[in-house]
Amino acid sequence: MPTQTCQCPCGHTRFEIVGRPLFRILCHCTICQRFNAAPVADVVIYDAAAVQPPAPGSVSFQAYKPPPNVQRGKCTQCGAPAIEVFEAPLFPKLTMVPTSVHGTLDALPVPVGHMFYDKRVADVADALPKHSGLLASQGSFMRHLFAAQLWRR
Ligand SMILES: [Zn+2]
Ligand SMILES: [Zn+2]
């Protein structure tokens, strides 16, 4: 099983991932923009069980807008986005890790596409699929989630 150490820019928040990512996705929603202080979130999705949580007190979690039930955590020292936890009834618990804290980017998969592209700050000139609106964006997330989980069995 691949192991990766994730670390925020100041080094205060560290955690380990043991396992493969389910998929990686780019999100342009306004909450991600606010949380990341960036035009787009580049996140890698894992089964929550694959991610060993950071030490208590190193990350402060906040729900920016429920639902969906995502707790977004920033380093308590440098304020950098560090880790996001998604939990909902009848749904596998997921952990989302911003690529900015991932140590080895070359080990990561290519993003599967863009979500909430209608909320984009700027156009993106790549060949990845671009989904706009809640239904299409959530639909693509779910498809990739189920495909990744089926593929693993
Ligand atoms: Zn988003
Ligand atoms: Zn930090």
Side-chain angles (χ1 to χ4, degrees):
M1 274 291 188
T3 305
Q4 297 208 51
T5 300
C6 297
Q7 188 175 310
C8 74
C10 83
H12 179 67
T13 299
R14 291 169 62 98
F15 55 95
E16 302 278 331
I17 298 172
V18 182
R20 290 179 202 290
L22 294 169
F23 61 98
R24 172 181 173 188
I25 200 160
L26 301 160
C27 186
H28 296 258
C29 84
T30 51
I31 297 172
C32 284
Q33 287 178 25
R34 191 149 65 92
F35 174 68
N36 292 280
V40 60
D42 183 354
V43 289
V44 191
I45 317 296
Y46 288 91
D47 281 323
V51 182
Q52 294 160 11
S58 61
V59 175
S60 79
F61 284 96
Q62 191 187 345
Y64 280 61
K65 186 185 147 200
N69 206 350
V70 182
Q71 291 286 328
R72 297 169 194 260
K74 289 182 172 179
C75 173
T76 53
Q77 295 283 307
C78 69
I83 191 167
E84 302 170 68
V85 178
F86 174 85
E87 219 172 341
L90 307 176
F91 215 82
K93 193 175 171 189
L94 302 174
T95 298
M96 297 179 270
V97 178
T99 52
S100 52
V101 301
H102 246 290
T104 43
L105 277 182
D106 26 316
L108 293 176
V110 171
V112 293
H114 295 264
M115 289 168 72
F116 294 101
Y117 193 62
D118 53 314
K119 300 280 195 272
R120 68 190 178 281
V121 173
D123 287 352
V124 180
D126 63 25
L128 298 173
K130 298 178 177 67
H131 302 283
S132 290
L134 182 66
L135 277 181
S137 298
Q138 282 188 343
S140 93
F141 189 96
M142 301 290 266
R143 276 197 308 282
H144 290 293
L145 178 62
F146 290 126
Q149 289 188 324
L150 285 175
W151 182 78
R152 269 171 186 232
R153 293 213 170 102

